[in-house]
């Protein structure tokens, strides 16, 4: 893209839609009362949502890998 300025990509989801999704996840999927969801730290809510996805098979747990797992011994 020579001669063109690269534009920063705008967020795909508005703040209103993001909060609506978070409230939906907390109330409907995690069975928390709505006032409790509003008072939860966003990081805690996202952690619980990730655990829920792993439990239901929607996501696989992330695995930490060391360099020894990637490069075999003796190289």
């Amino acid at each position: 893209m020579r001669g063109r300025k690269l534009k920063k990509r705008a967020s795909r989801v508005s703040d209103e839609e993001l909060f609506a999704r978070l409230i939906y996840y907390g109330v409907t999927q995690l069975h928390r009362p709505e006032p409790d969801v509003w008072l939860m730290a966003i990081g805690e809510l996202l952690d619980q949502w990730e655990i829920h996805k792993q439990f239901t098979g929607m996501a696989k747990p992330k695995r930490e890998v060391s360099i020894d797992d990637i490069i075999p011994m003796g190289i």
Side-chain angles (χ1 to χ4, degrees):
M1 297 187 112
R2 190 176 254 169
R4 287 183 172 176
K5 288 185 179 180
L6 296 176
K7 290 184 180 180
K8 185 178 177 183
R9 255 187 132 162
S11 176
R12 295 181 185 180
V13 178
S14 68
D15 289 342
E16 292 83 11
E17 187 175 349
L18 177 64
F19 280 105
R21 286 182 185 191
L22 291 174
I23 293 298
Y24 168 79
Y25 297 156
V27 174
T28 307
Q29 300 296 319
L30 301 175
H31 307 290
R32 302 283 183 160
E34 187 173 344
D36 290 354
V37 176
W38 279 108
L39 296 173
M40 288 175 78
I42 291 178
E44 181 184 355
L45 179 58
L46 292 174
D47 286 346
Q48 289 185 11
W49 176 240
E50 182 62 31
I51 291 168
H52 174 76
K53 290 192 314 184
Q54 292 173 14
F55 182 76
T56 59
M58 293 168 45
K60 291 184 180 178
K62 293 185 172 87
R63 197 178 117 201
E64 287 193 30
V65 180
S66 72
I67 192 71
D68 294 330
D69 296 328
I70 298 170
I71 301 175
M73 296 296 288
I75 291 185

